[in-house]
Amino acid sequence: MTLARRLRPLLLLLLLAPRTALAQDDPEYRMEIGAGAGLQTYQGDFGGGLLKHMQPMGGAVAKYKPNPRMAWAATLSYGKLKGRSEDTKTWYPDYAGAPMEFSTSMTTFDVAFEYNFWAFGTGREYRGARPLTPFITAGMGLCFAKCDASVCAFEMPLGLGVKYKLADRLNLTATWLMHLTGTDKLDGVKDPYGIKSSGLFKNTDCYSTLQIAVTYDIWAKCKTCHNDRD
């Protein structure tokens, strides 16, 4: 065996060592803050479908990230809901001769858990992190609706989305959510058929949201405290 062949493994180690040492030199960040905008759609007694009467919405978001696979997101948003009794195929006796329509202002505050399919990051702060990942999310919160009267109700957002790293500390997120609510008055009408029902989400109104958000990473982790790397 020649000297060159004996030294080849050592040379490879020397070449790769600086790359490995620098691979995770960038800091990890504990939080994200930002804002988003999108569309929301009423899904209730007078709903006409996922794309019917879509209305603008927007809000602010803050996220706490215990590790690159998980995040807790707090969102405060505002938007509108609109609908008409003519949009549904269901026949309502009270509105057969005089169709109704409504416009509702919505303010919501939700806290949700996000689980990334893969570790999210540039790959330079956490080994194996990827700049693009899908995720699923679920949470709970409160919605404040104002139609003919004001209503405050519990809600549960469920959905999925995609995250993408625009830059080292800049993130782009697209999220679709279905908001299950504990009220049947988002449209200003409770039980159009006059049939009483019970249950947390039985015969209640819902709404869906499709939002694009941009967030910025803040609060860098201590480099000597990265015990969750592996």
Side-chain angles (χ1 to χ4, degrees), residues 85-124:
S85 59
E86 294 176 312
D87 294 333
T88 179
K89 296 180 180 179
T90 304
W91 185 73
Y92 295 106
D94 291 345
Y95 306 105
M100 66 85 69
E101 60 181 271
F102 69 91
S103 177
T104 302
S105 300
M106 291 280 297
T107 301
T108 60
F109 177 74
D110 296 320
V111 176
F113 177 73
E114 297 178 353
Y115 183 77
N116 303 326
F117 284 30
W118 303 299
F120 181 58
T122 62
R124 297 188 299 274

Short mmCIF file of all heavy atoms in Angstrom, two decimals, residues 85-124:
data_model
loop_
_atom_site.label_atom_id
_atom_site.label_comp_id
_atom_site.label_asym_id
_atom_site.label_seq_id
_atom_site.Cartn_x
_atom_site.Cartn_y
_atom_site.Cartn_z
N SER A 85 -79.33 32.93 3.04
CA SER A 85 -80.14 31.71 3.13
C SER A 85 -80.35 31.09 1.75
O SER A 85 -80.57 29.89 1.62
CB SER A 85 -81.49 32.01 3.78
OG SER A 85 -82.21 32.99 3.04
N GLU A 86 -80.24 31.89 0.69
CA GLU A 86 -80.42 31.38 -0.67
C GLU A 86 -79.25 30.51 -1.12
O GLU A 86 -79.38 29.77 -2.10
CB GLU A 86 -80.57 32.56 -1.65
CG GLU A 86 -81.83 33.38 -1.44
CD GLU A 86 -81.88 34.58 -2.37
OE1 GLU A 86 -80.85 35.29 -2.44
OE2 GLU A 86 -82.92 34.80 -2.99
N ASP A 87 -78.11 30.60 -0.41
CA ASP A 87 -76.92 29.85 -0.83
C ASP A 87 -77.00 28.37 -0.49
O ASP A 87 -76.23 27.57 -1.02
CB ASP A 87 -75.67 30.45 -0.18
CG ASP A 87 -75.38 31.85 -0.68
OD1 ASP A 87 -75.78 32.17 -1.81
OD2 ASP A 87 -74.77 32.63 0.07
N THR A 88 -77.86 27.99 0.42
CA THR A 88 -77.93 26.60 0.85
C THR A 88 -79.09 25.88 0.16
O THR A 88 -80.10 26.48 -0.20
CB THR A 88 -78.11 26.51 2.38
OG1 THR A 88 -78.20 25.15 2.76
CG2 THR A 88 -79.36 27.24 2.83
N LYS A 89 -78.92 24.56 -0.04
CA LYS A 89 -79.98 23.75 -0.64
C LYS A 89 -81.02 23.32 0.40
O LYS A 89 -82.06 22.76 0.04
CB LYS A 89 -79.37 22.52 -1.31
CG LYS A 89 -78.45 22.87 -2.47
CD LYS A 89 -77.85 21.61 -3.10
CE LYS A 89 -76.93 21.97 -4.27
NZ LYS A 89 -76.33 20.75 -4.87
N THR A 90 -80.71 23.55 1.67
CA THR A 90 -81.65 23.20 2.73
C THR A 90 -82.83 24.19 2.73
O THR A 90 -82.63 25.39 2.59
CB THR A 90 -80.96 23.24 4.11
OG1 THR A 90 -79.83 22.37 4.09
CG2 THR A 90 -81.92 22.78 5.20
N TRP A 91 -84.03 23.68 2.87
CA TRP A 91 -85.23 24.52 2.86
C TRP A 91 -85.58 24.93 4.28
O TRP A 91 -85.81 24.07 5.14
CB TRP A 91 -86.40 23.78 2.23
CG TRP A 91 -87.64 24.63 2.09
CD1 TRP A 91 -87.85 25.62 1.20
CD2 TRP A 91 -88.83 24.54 2.88
NE1 TRP A 91 -89.10 26.18 1.36
CE2 TRP A 91 -89.74 25.52 2.39
CE3 TRP A 91 -89.24 23.74 3.95
CZ2 TRP A 91 -91.00 25.73 2.93
CZ3 TRP A 91 -90.49 23.93 4.49
CH2 TRP A 91 -91.37 24.93 3.98
N TYR A 92 -85.62 26.23 4.52
CA TYR A 92 -86.00 26.76 5.83
C TYR A 92 -87.34 27.49 5.70
O TYR A 92 -87.42 28.49 4.98
CB TYR A 92 -84.93 27.73 6.35
CG TYR A 92 -83.60 27.06 6.64
CD1 TYR A 92 -82.51 27.26 5.79
CD2 TYR A 92 -83.44 26.25 7.76
CE1 TYR A 92 -81.30 26.65 6.06
CE2 TYR A 92 -82.22 25.64 8.02
CZ TYR A 92 -81.16 25.84 7.17
OH TYR A 92 -79.95 25.23 7.42
N PRO A 93 -88.37 27.00 6.37
CA PRO A 93 -89.70 27.60 6.23
C PRO A 93 -89.74 29.10 6.52
O PRO A 93 -90.41 29.86 5.83
CB PRO A 93 -90.55 26.81 7.24
CG PRO A 93 -89.82 25.53 7.44
CD PRO A 93 -88.38 25.86 7.29
N ASP A 94 -89.01 29.54 7.54
CA ASP A 94 -89.07 30.96 7.93
C ASP A 94 -88.47 31.89 6.89
O ASP A 94 -88.74 33.10 6.90
CB ASP A 94 -88.34 31.16 9.27
CG ASP A 94 -89.08 30.51 10.44
OD1 ASP A 94 -90.26 30.18 10.26
OD2 ASP A 94 -88.45 30.35 11.51
N TYR A 95 -87.63 31.35 6.00
CA TYR A 95 -86.95 32.20 5.02
C TYR A 95 -87.30 31.83 3.58
O TYR A 95 -86.62 32.26 2.65
CB TYR A 95 -85.44 32.12 5.24
CG TYR A 95 -85.04 32.45 6.66
CD1 TYR A 95 -84.66 31.45 7.54
CD2 TYR A 95 -85.09 33.76 7.12
CE1 TYR A 95 -84.34 31.74 8.85
CE2 TYR A 95 -84.77 34.06 8.43
CZ TYR A 95 -84.39 33.05 9.30
OH TYR A 95 -84.07 33.34 10.60
N ALA A 96 -88.36 31.02 3.41
CA ALA A 96 -88.75 30.61 2.06
C ALA A 96 -89.25 31.81 1.24
O ALA A 96 -88.93 31.94 0.06
CB ALA A 96 -89.83 29.54 2.14
N GLY A 97 -90.05 32.67 1.87
CA GLY A 97 -90.59 33.81 1.15
C GLY A 97 -89.77 35.07 1.26
O GLY A 97 -89.86 35.97 0.41
N ALA A 98 -88.96 35.15 2.31
CA ALA A 98 -88.14 36.35 2.54
C ALA A 98 -86.72 35.93 2.90
O ALA A 98 -86.39 35.79 4.09
CB ALA A 98 -88.74 37.21 3.64
N PRO A 99 -85.88 35.66 1.90
CA PRO A 99 -84.50 35.23 2.16
C PRO A 99 -83.75 36.24 3.02
O PRO A 99 -83.97 37.44 2.93
CB PRO A 99 -83.88 35.14 0.76
CG PRO A 99 -85.05 34.99 -0.16
CD PRO A 99 -86.17 35.78 0.47
N MET A 100 -82.88 35.73 3.87
CA MET A 100 -82.08 36.59 4.75
C MET A 100 -80.62 36.53 4.35
O MET A 100 -80.15 35.58 3.73
CB MET A 100 -82.25 36.18 6.21
CG MET A 100 -81.71 34.80 6.57
SD MET A 100 -79.93 34.73 6.97
CE MET A 100 -79.89 35.61 8.50
N GLU A 101 -79.91 37.58 4.67
CA GLU A 101 -78.46 37.61 4.52
C GLU A 101 -77.86 38.33 5.72
O GLU A 101 -78.54 39.10 6.40
CB GLU A 101 -78.04 38.27 3.22
CG GLU A 101 -78.47 39.71 3.03
CD GLU A 101 -78.01 40.24 1.69
OE1 GLU A 101 -76.88 40.77 1.64
OE2 GLU A 101 -78.76 40.09 0.72
N PHE A 102 -76.60 38.05 5.98
CA PHE A 102 -75.97 38.60 7.19
C PHE A 102 -74.53 38.99 6.91
O PHE A 102 -73.91 38.52 5.94
CB PHE A 102 -76.02 37.58 8.33
CG PHE A 102 -75.13 36.38 8.11
CD1 PHE A 102 -73.82 36.36 8.55
CD2 PHE A 102 -75.62 35.27 7.42
CE1 PHE A 102 -72.99 35.27 8.32
CE2 PHE A 102 -74.81 34.16 7.19
CZ PHE A 102 -73.49 34.17 7.64
N SER A 103 -74.01 39.85 7.76
CA SER A 103 -72.61 40.24 7.74
C SER A 103 -72.14 40.32 9.19
O SER A 103 -72.70 41.06 9.98
CB SER A 103 -72.43 41.60 7.05
OG SER A 103 -71.07 42.01 7.09
N THR A 104 -71.14 39.52 9.52
CA THR A 104 -70.67 39.41 10.90
C THR A 104 -69.21 39.83 11.01
O THR A 104 -68.38 39.42 10.20
CB THR A 104 -70.81 37.95 11.39
OG1 THR A 104 -72.17 37.55 11.30
CG2 THR A 104 -70.34 37.81 12.83
N SER A 105 -68.91 40.64 12.01
CA SER A 105 -67.52 40.99 12.32
C SER A 105 -66.98 39.99 13.32
O SER A 105 -67.64 39.67 14.32
CB SER A 105 -67.44 42.40 12.90
OG SER A 105 -67.93 43.35 11.99
N MET A 106 -65.77 39.49 13.08
CA MET A 106 -65.18 38.44 13.92
C MET A 106 -63.82 38.87 14.47
O MET A 106 -62.95 39.31 13.73
CB MET A 106 -64.98 37.17 13.10
CG MET A 106 -66.26 36.48 12.68
SD MET A 106 -66.95 35.48 14.00
CE MET A 106 -65.64 34.30 14.24
N THR A 107 -63.65 38.72 15.77
CA THR A 107 -62.35 38.86 16.40
C THR A 107 -62.06 37.57 17.15
O THR A 107 -62.91 37.10 17.92
CB THR A 107 -62.33 40.04 17.39
OG1 THR A 107 -62.66 41.25 16.69
CG2 THR A 107 -60.94 40.20 18.02
N THR A 108 -60.90 36.98 16.93
CA THR A 108 -60.59 35.69 17.55
C THR A 108 -59.21 35.73 18.20
O THR A 108 -58.30 36.42 17.73
CB THR A 108 -60.62 34.55 16.53
OG1 THR A 108 -59.65 34.79 15.50
CG2 THR A 108 -61.99 34.43 15.88
N PHE A 109 -59.09 34.96 19.27
CA PHE A 109 -57.80 34.73 19.90
C PHE A 109 -57.65 33.23 20.12
O PHE A 109 -58.47 32.61 20.79
CB PHE A 109 -57.68 35.46 21.23
CG PHE A 109 -56.37 35.18 21.94
CD1 PHE A 109 -55.20 35.75 21.48
CD2 PHE A 109 -56.32 34.33 23.03
CE1 PHE A 109 -53.98 35.47 22.11
CE2 PHE A 109 -55.12 34.05 23.66
CZ PHE A 109 -53.94 34.63 23.20
N ASP A 110 -56.62 32.64 19.53
CA ASP A 110 -56.40 31.20 19.61
C ASP A 110 -54.98 30.89 20.06
O ASP A 110 -54.03 31.63 19.75
CB ASP A 110 -56.62 30.54 18.23
CG ASP A 110 -58.03 30.67 17.74
OD1 ASP A 110 -58.96 30.53 18.56
OD2 ASP A 110 -58.23 30.92 16.53
N VAL A 111 -54.84 29.77 20.75
CA VAL A 111 -53.54 29.20 21.07
C VAL A 111 -53.53 27.78 20.52
O VAL A 111 -54.42 26.97 20.84
CB VAL A 111 -53.27 29.17 22.59
CG1 VAL A 111 -51.95 28.47 22.89
CG2 VAL A 111 -53.24 30.59 23.15
N ALA A 112 -52.56 27.47 19.66
CA ALA A 112 -52.54 26.18 18.97
C ALA A 112 -51.16 25.55 19.04
O ALA A 112 -50.14 26.24 19.12
CB ALA A 112 -52.98 26.34 17.52
N PHE A 113 -51.14 24.23 18.98
CA PHE A 113 -49.90 23.46 18.93
C PHE A 113 -49.63 23.06 17.49
O PHE A 113 -50.52 22.57 16.79
CB PHE A 113 -50.00 22.21 19.80
CG PHE A 113 -48.79 21.32 19.75
CD1 PHE A 113 -47.62 21.69 20.37
CD2 PHE A 113 -48.82 20.12 19.06
CE1 PHE A 113 -46.49 20.88 20.32
CE2 PHE A 113 -47.71 19.30 19.00
CZ PHE A 113 -46.54 19.68 19.63
N GLU A 114 -48.39 23.28 17.03
CA GLU A 114 -47.99 22.91 15.67
C GLU A 114 -46.94 21.80 15.73
O GLU A 114 -45.97 21.90 16.50
CB GLU A 114 -47.40 24.11 14.93
CG GLU A 114 -48.38 25.26 14.74
CD GLU A 114 -47.75 26.46 14.06
OE1 GLU A 114 -46.50 26.46 13.85
OE2 GLU A 114 -48.49 27.40 13.73
N TYR A 115 -47.15 20.77 14.92
CA TYR A 115 -46.17 19.68 14.84
C TYR A 115 -45.66 19.58 13.41
O TYR A 115 -46.42 19.31 12.47
CB TYR A 115 -46.80 18.36 15.26
CG TYR A 115 -45.81 17.22 15.26
CD1 TYR A 115 -44.88 17.07 16.29
CD2 TYR A 115 -45.78 16.31 14.21
CE1 TYR A 115 -43.96 16.04 16.28
CE2 TYR A 115 -44.85 15.27 14.19
CZ TYR A 115 -43.95 15.15 15.22
OH TYR A 115 -43.03 14.13 15.20
N ASN A 116 -44.36 19.82 13.23
CA ASN A 116 -43.74 19.76 11.91
C ASN A 116 -43.40 18.31 11.54
O ASN A 116 -42.91 17.55 12.38
CB ASN A 116 -42.46 20.60 11.89
CG ASN A 116 -42.70 22.04 12.29
OD1 ASN A 116 -43.74 22.60 11.99
ND2 ASN A 116 -41.72 22.63 12.96
N PHE A 117 -43.63 17.95 10.29
CA PHE A 117 -43.28 16.62 9.83
C PHE A 117 -41.78 16.39 9.89
O PHE A 117 -41.31 15.28 10.11
CB PHE A 117 -43.79 16.40 8.41
CG PHE A 117 -45.28 16.15 8.33
CD1 PHE A 117 -46.16 16.71 9.27
CD2 PHE A 117 -45.82 15.38 7.33
CE1 PHE A 117 -47.52 16.48 9.20
CE2 PHE A 117 -47.18 15.14 7.24
CZ PHE A 117 -48.03 15.70 8.18
N TRP A 118 -41.01 17.47 9.61
CA TRP A 118 -39.56 17.41 9.72
C TRP A 118 -39.08 18.60 10.55
O TRP A 118 -39.77 19.60 10.67
CB TRP A 118 -38.90 17.47 8.33
CG TRP A 118 -39.37 16.40 7.42
CD1 TRP A 118 -39.25 15.05 7.59
CD2 TRP A 118 -40.09 16.57 6.18
NE1 TRP A 118 -39.84 14.39 6.55
CE2 TRP A 118 -40.36 15.28 5.67
CE3 TRP A 118 -40.53 17.68 5.46
CZ2 TRP A 118 -41.03 15.07 4.48
CZ3 TRP A 118 -41.21 17.48 4.27
CH2 TRP A 118 -41.45 16.19 3.79
N ALA A 119 -37.87 18.47 11.10
CA ALA A 119 -37.28 19.60 11.83
C ALA A 119 -37.17 20.79 10.88
O ALA A 119 -36.72 20.65 9.74
CB ALA A 119 -35.91 19.21 12.36
N PHE A 120 -37.59 21.96 11.35
CA PHE A 120 -37.66 23.15 10.51
C PHE A 120 -36.50 24.09 10.81
O PHE A 120 -36.26 24.46 11.95
CB PHE A 120 -38.98 23.87 10.74
CG PHE A 120 -39.17 25.10 9.90
CD1 PHE A 120 -39.13 25.02 8.52
CD2 PHE A 120 -39.39 26.34 10.49
CE1 PHE A 120 -39.32 26.15 7.74
CE2 PHE A 120 -39.57 27.47 9.73
CZ PHE A 120 -39.54 27.37 8.34
N GLY A 121 -35.77 24.46 9.76
CA GLY A 121 -34.65 25.37 9.92
C GLY A 121 -33.80 25.43 8.66
O GLY A 121 -34.14 24.83 7.63
N THR A 122 -32.68 26.11 8.76
CA THR A 122 -31.78 26.24 7.61
C THR A 122 -30.88 25.02 7.46
O THR A 122 -30.32 24.78 6.39
CB THR A 122 -30.90 27.48 7.75
OG1 THR A 122 -30.09 27.35 8.94
CG2 THR A 122 -31.75 28.75 7.87
N GLY A 123 -30.72 24.25 8.55
CA GLY A 123 -29.77 23.14 8.54
C GLY A 123 -28.43 23.52 9.10
O GLY A 123 -27.60 22.66 9.39
N ARG A 124 -28.22 24.84 9.30
CA ARG A 124 -26.95 25.31 9.86
C ARG A 124 -27.03 25.53 11.36
O ARG A 124 -26.03 25.77 12.00
CB ARG A 124 -26.52 26.61 9.17
CG ARG A 124 -26.24 26.46 7.68
CD ARG A 124 -25.62 27.72 7.10
NE ARG A 124 -26.50 28.86 7.23
CZ ARG A 124 -27.46 29.18 6.38
NH1 ARG A 124 -27.68 28.42 5.32
NH2 ARG A 124 -28.20 30.25 6.57
#
